[in-house]
Structures are given as structure tokens and as C-alpha cells.
């Protein structure tokens, strides 16, 4: 049976709500990583072996994952993996998100590492690769028979690639989309918004009395940047230019932030300046708001029988304009892994075409193009329309961060955006400060 995430799960999950102490910790970790890369850290690893790991490979693969349903799906597939690799023991440890990065950095630097295979959040990838904490995987990926790495959605593999070298393979997608109550659009005689202006006007039109047109997530830091990034894309803007430099203080960014603030003031629930996922989800599922922008796999949670008075009436669409913010987890092998071959055997087995289909059927978020064309998936309980929309979204998506110190940069930009929504800074001043902060943090 397909699982659905509840609100408590999402709060734990990855869109963490960081205060000053945690931001300070991230800054310390960034300095630590830089120091390790410069002196005393692990030497650059060469990819060991080829991808064609023999079935009689042996070893214990110690894995760190988050304590969420994603991990339960992976655990449930281990017995099937052991039919192919009977001599590999898979030992999965789980932690809450906020504990993971610190634990990983400690293991990377240890002569007796704790983990042989890990999942990497997309803002960490560049820092971990630059610090030489991760093994290059090019020879393994290219040497694995029938692996077909080109079948992964390119925006996901772009995240795993640093300076032309692949340090991971995709595990889970976090593409955001527009989630809406179909009855509301029908009654208002409106179509799904196709551009930024329509997103604003539709949100306003769907506000009826005390019922909001859109539940927004302007909480300081990660949440507002993750949400507003979609508005920026809808305005034709970008987070980075072709030269890789931040582009957060542009006419498109100003248009997007003005539109976001206008919509917040006129169509969102009142007094929701500090709202994040939990509050927005409760508002929509409880029929207090007609729409929201959130992760694609929240659609089944909204439609789950008993989840709210409008369960079964929600649909998913790409972000107006067609481009969306993307987050992801990726499998990676630490440089100091004690069981590299066995680790690759498990990672490549789990992300192969046939097993990605199985994982998606069990509740995972797809990472391969072929998975979203497989009849077993399309004929599943979520239906072909949902998966075709996800396929469209994953084909045109981009992350919030694609440079070093991603976590710190995201927090800094999100702080400035929240100031603009709160009215303590002008749009011009907030965007100028966001641009300056991003340039300073990412060099």
C-alpha cells in the first residue's frame, strides 16, 4: 500500500526551520569542511573497482538515513536485495534531519568511519565533494551493466555532479508543484494558473470570506525561499545565471517578490507570516484554503480518505510558467567507506530501473524517466495523470543552491525575503541584501 506523509513527518523531514544557533553551527561546519579540504582532510578518492560488483561480494554496509517513511520503504526492500547479494549485510541507522549533517562530518574525518553509504541532501553536495569526503562514482556508474544513468532525470543528476565529476546517484525527488482544490476552480470558473499574473489573480479570486485562496509559507529562512523561488521562476527569473553567479536582484525578482507580498496580503490566511509546511497543509486539508505550493508527493496525503473534508478533490499541476524548485536526496559513498563495493552493490541495485519501479510502487518518489512510463506505476492508485505531471515537473526544475555553503546561503536569502513580507525592509533593500549575502557566502 502506498504510504502518505503526515504533517509531523514533514516537520522532521528536511525543510528545517533554523534559528541563529543552528545557522551558527552550519557556519562552523562550513569552515571545518574548508579546512579539511585544505589541510589534514582525506585525500581525493579515486573510484575503486568497476560498477560490475560480483554477486558473491561480502561485507556490512552501514547506512545513515532519516527516520521517515522513505527509509521504511528502503528497509522493506533489503530482503529482496539479499536474494541477489546474500553475503552483504545492510545495517540502516536512522536519525532526525537536524542530527544528520553533524554526524556525517564526524564520520568523514574519522579513521574508524561510522558509515559506508549515505544519503546527501542537495545543499550539502558541493561542500562534501569539495572537502573530498565523497568517492567519485563515474567508473562505477559507467561500469554497471544495464544501469542506464541517462535515464535519471537530468536536474537530479546535475545536483550529483560537481566540476564534471559524479559523486552520487539520485534517491528521492522534492520537486514542488501547485496543489489545488478542483471544486474551487470549477465554481470560480477558472483554469489552472498558467503564469505569474494568473497565480496572483486566481489566488485572490479563490478567497471567499474567511477562506483563503492560497496557504503560503513565508516563514523566515528555508521555507520562504523554497516557496518564493517558484514565483521567481514564474516571473521568468532565475536563482543563478549562466555563469553560476546568483541572480537575486533583478527586475524579475522584484516582480516576483511584489507579487508574492501582494498575494500574501490579499489571499493568504491572516497572521501567517511565520507559517511553514504544517500550518499550510492543515489549512488546505481542513478546507480553510483552496491551494498551496508544495512537494509533488503531498497530493496523496491531501487525497487520503479521512484526511479532510475535501479529500479526493485535489490535483497537482506544474508551477505556473512551467519551472519549479527542486530538492533531492542522493546516494553517495564516503571516501573512507570500509565496504565500497558492497555499498555500490546496494545503491546501484536500489536505483536500477526495475527496483526504482518497485520502490515507487511502495511509496517512494520516482527518480527515473522510465519509472514514470511504466504501466505498473501509471496504473497504480495515484493514476497516470499524477505521474505524467510529476514527469513534466522533473523535466524542468532547478535547486535553490548549486554552489558551496548551500545551507548558509539559503538561510540568508530566506531571512531577507521574510523581512520584505513583514514590511521591515523594502523589496529593493531586501533583494539587494539577498544578492550581497549570496555572493559573499558562495564566493
Amino acid at each position: 500500500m502506498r504510504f502518505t506523509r503526515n504533517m509531523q513527518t514533514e516537520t522532521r523531514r528536511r525543510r528545517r526551520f533554523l534559528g541563529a544557533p543552528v545557522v551558527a553551527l552550519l557556519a562552523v561546519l562550513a569552515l571545518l569542511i574548508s579546512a579539511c579540504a585544505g589541510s589534514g582532510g582525506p585525500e581525493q578518492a579515486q573510484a575503486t573497482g568497476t560498477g560490475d560488483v560480483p554477486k558473491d561480494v561480502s561485507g556490512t554496509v552501514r547506512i545513515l538515513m532519516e527516520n521517515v517513511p522513505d527509509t521504511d520503504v528502503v528497509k522493506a526492500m533489503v530482503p529482496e536485495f539479499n536474494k541477489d547479494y546474500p553475503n552483504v549485510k545492510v545495517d540502516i541507522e536512522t536519525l532526525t534531519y537536524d542530527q544528520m549533517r553533524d554526524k556525517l562530518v564526524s564520520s568523514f574525518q574519522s579513521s574508524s568511519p561510522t558509515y559506508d553509504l549515505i544519503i546527501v541532501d542537495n545543499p550539502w553536495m558541493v561542500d562534501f565533494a569539495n572537502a573530498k569526503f565523497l568517492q567519485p562514482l563515474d567508473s562505477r556508474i559507467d561500469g554497471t551493466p544495464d544501469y542506464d544513468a541517462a535515464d535519471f532525470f537530468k536536474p537530479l543528476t546535475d545536483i550529483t555532479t560537481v566540476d564534471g565529476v559524479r559523486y552520487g546517484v539520485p534517491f528521492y525527488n522534492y520537486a514542488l508543484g501547485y496543489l489545488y482544490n478542483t471544486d474551487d476552480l470549477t465554481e470560480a470558473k477558472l483554469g489552472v494558473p498558467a503564469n505569474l499574473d494568473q497565480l496572483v489573480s486566481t489566488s485572490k479570486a479563490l478567497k471567499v470570506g474567511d477562506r483563503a485562496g492560497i496557504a503560503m509559507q513565508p516563514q523566515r529562512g528555508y521555507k520562504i525561499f523554497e516557496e518564493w523561488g517558484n514565483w521567481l521562476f514564474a516571473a521568468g527569473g532565475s536563482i543563478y545565471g549562466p555563469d553560476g553567479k546568483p541572480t537575486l536582484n533583478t527586475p524579475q525578482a522584484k516582480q516576483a517578490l511584489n507579487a508574492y507580498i501582494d498575494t500574501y496580503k490579499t489571499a493568504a490566511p491572516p497572521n501567517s507570516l511565520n507559517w511553514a509546511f504544517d500550518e499550510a497543509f492543515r489549512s488546505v486539508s481542513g478546507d480553510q484554503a483552496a491551494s498551496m505550493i508544495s512537494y509533488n508527493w503531498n497530493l496523496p496525503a491531501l487525497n487520503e480518505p479521512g484526511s479532510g473534508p475535501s479529500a479526493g478533490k485535489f490535483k497537482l499541476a506544474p508551477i505556473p510558467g512551467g519551472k519549479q524548485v527542486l530538492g533531492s536526496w542522493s546516494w553517495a559513498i564516503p571516501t573512507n567507506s570500509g565496504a565500497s563495493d558492497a555499498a555500490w552493490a546496494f545503491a546501484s541495485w536500489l536505483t536500477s530501473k526495475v527496483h526504482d519501479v518497485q520502490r515507487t510502487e511502495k511509496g517512494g518518489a520516482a527518480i527515473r524517466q522510465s519509472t514514470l512510463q511504466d504501466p505498473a506505476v501509471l496504473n497504480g492508485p495515484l493514476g497516470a495523470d499524477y505521474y505524467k505531471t510529476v514527469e513534466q515537473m522533473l523535466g524542468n526544475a532547478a535547486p535553490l543552491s548549486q554552489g558551496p555553503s548551500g545551507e548558509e546561503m539559503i538561510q540568508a536569502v530566506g531571512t531577507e525575503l521574510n523581512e520584505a513580507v513583514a514590511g521591515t525592509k523594502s523589496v529593493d533593500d531586501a533583494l539587494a541584501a539577498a544578492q550581497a549575502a549570496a555572493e559573499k557566502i558562495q564566493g
Side-chain angles (χ1 to χ4, degrees):
M1 177 179 293
R2 173 132 190 151
F3 77 82
T4 55
R5 295 165 179 266
N6 58 29
M7 291 173 287
Q8 182 181 6
T9 294
E10 176 56 29
T11 299
R12 293 197 314 263
R13 179 55 188 92
R14 58 182 261 121
R15 302 293 75 119
R16 73 301 282 152
F17 317 136
L18 299 182
V22 182
V23 173
L25 173 61
L26 291 177
V28 170
L29 286 174
L31 290 173
L32 178 61
I33 289 172
S34 298
C36 289
S39 62
E43 293 300 321
Q44 175 65 58
Q46 299 299 316
T48 56
T50 65
D52 193 6
V53 180
K55 291 297 196 300
D56 62 354
V57 66
S58 62
T60 297
V61 180
R62 300 161 300 172
I63 303 174
L64 179 63
M65 300 185 72
E66 194 179 5
N67 56 349
V68 290
D70 312 349
T71 300
D72 296 335
V73 172
V74 173
K75 287 181 176 179
M77 297 181 70
V78 171
E80 191 70 20
F81 166 75
N82 282 138
K83 292 179 181 179
D84 290 336
Y85 294 90
N87 300 322
V88 176
K89 179 183 178 182
V90 177
D91 183 4
I92 298 176
E93 177 187 349
T94 62
L95 291 174
T96 59
Y97 181 90
D98 289 339
Q99 296 175 299
M100 290 180 66
R101 180 170 170 169
D102 196 14
K103 194 75 178 287
L104 287 174
V105 172
S106 295
S107 180
F108 292 150
Q109 298 180 97
S110 175
S111 58
S112 299
T114 309
Y115 306 112
D116 306 294
L117 179 66
I118 62 172
I119 54 173
V120 179
D121 198 6
N122 52 286
W124 307 342
M125 184 63 72
V126 173
D127 286 341
F128 285 2
N130 286 345
K132 303 178 174 58
F133 289 156
L134 306 178
Q135 292 185 19
L137 296 181
D138 286 316
S139 62
R140 289 193 182 279
I141 293 170
D142 294 338
T144 299
D146 302 318
Y147 191 58
D148 191 9
D151 184 47
F152 292 119
F153 283 94
K154 186 176 184 299
L156 293 173
T157 55
D158 285 347
I159 289 171
T160 69
T161 304
V162 180
D163 295 331
V165 178
R166 290 171 288 181
Y167 289 94
V169 291
F171 164 50
Y172 215 89
N173 90 74
Y174 275 76
L176 284 86
Y178 179 70
L179 294 157
Y180 63 96
N181 187 315
T182 54
D183 282 359
D184 290 321
L185 285 185
T186 299
E187 291 172 8
K189 297 181 180 180
L190 294 169
V192 176
N195 54 48
L196 181 62
D197 288 343
Q198 289 181 15
L199 176 59
V200 175
S201 62
T202 298
S203 299
K204 292 180 179 181
L206 293 179
K207 186 181 187 311
V208 178
D210 292 335
R211 190 165 181 269
I214 185 169
M216 299 172 72
Q217 303 174 49
Q219 188 182 74
R220 176 186 298 263
Y222 213 120
K223 289 311 299 181
I224 187 171
F225 189 11
E226 183 179 58
E227 183 176 55
W228 174 78
N230 297 281
W231 296 64
L232 175 62
F233 291 159
S238 63
I239 298 172
Y240 294 92
D243 58 0
K245 295 181 180 179
T247 51
L248 297 168
N249 190 16
T250 62
Q252 294 87 353
K254 184 174 181 178
Q255 178 189 2
L257 188 51
N258 278 320
Y260 185 94
I261 294 171
D262 179 27
T263 305
Y264 170 73
K265 290 180 176 178
T266 58
N271 303 313
S272 56
L273 180 65
N274 294 316
W275 277 26
F277 172 84
D278 283 7
E279 295 86 355
F281 186 96
R282 280 196 294 264
S283 181
V284 175
S285 65
D287 248 3
Q288 300 302 306
S291 65
M292 68 185 297
I293 288 175
S294 192
Y295 310 117
N296 64 86
W297 36 252
N298 277 317
L299 181 67
L302 288 170
N303 281 334
E304 184 178 18
S307 64
S310 293
K313 297 180 179 179
F314 293 98
K315 291 194 72 173
L316 171 72
I319 296 298
K323 184 175 181 179
Q324 31 276 313
V325 167
L326 175 68
S328 74
W329 282 114
S330 304
W331 291 108
I333 301 176
T335 300
N336 58 359
S337 170
S340 296
D341 285 348
W344 177 247
F346 184 69
S348 60
W349 181 92
L350 191 68
T351 57
S352 66
K353 286 185 176 182
V354 62
H355 298 119
D356 191 55
V357 169
Q358 293 176 5
R359 188 181 56 81
T360 302
E361 287 184 286
K362 292 177 184 292
I367 52 175
R368 286 182 172 273
Q369 299 172 73
S370 60
T371 297
L372 297 185
Q373 298 166 4
D374 191 285
V377 172
L378 297 180
N379 295 330
L382 296 187
D385 285 348
Y386 168 72
Y387 284 113
K388 290 298 183 184
T389 301
V390 173
E391 180 180 24
Q392 183 180 353
M393 291 164 59
L394 287 175
N396 188 18
L400 294 179
S401 171
Q402 62 187 41
S405 303
E407 290 275 6
E408 189 182 359
M409 174 266 195
I410 291 168
Q411 289 297 321
V413 173
T415 296
E416 298 300 334
L417 296 174
N418 176 268
E419 295 273 6
V421 179
T424 55
K425 278 190 178 180
S426 70
V427 167
D428 287 342
D429 288 347
L431 291 176
Q435 176 72 19
E439 288 179 355
K440 180 178 180 181
I441 291 167
Q442 298 204 311

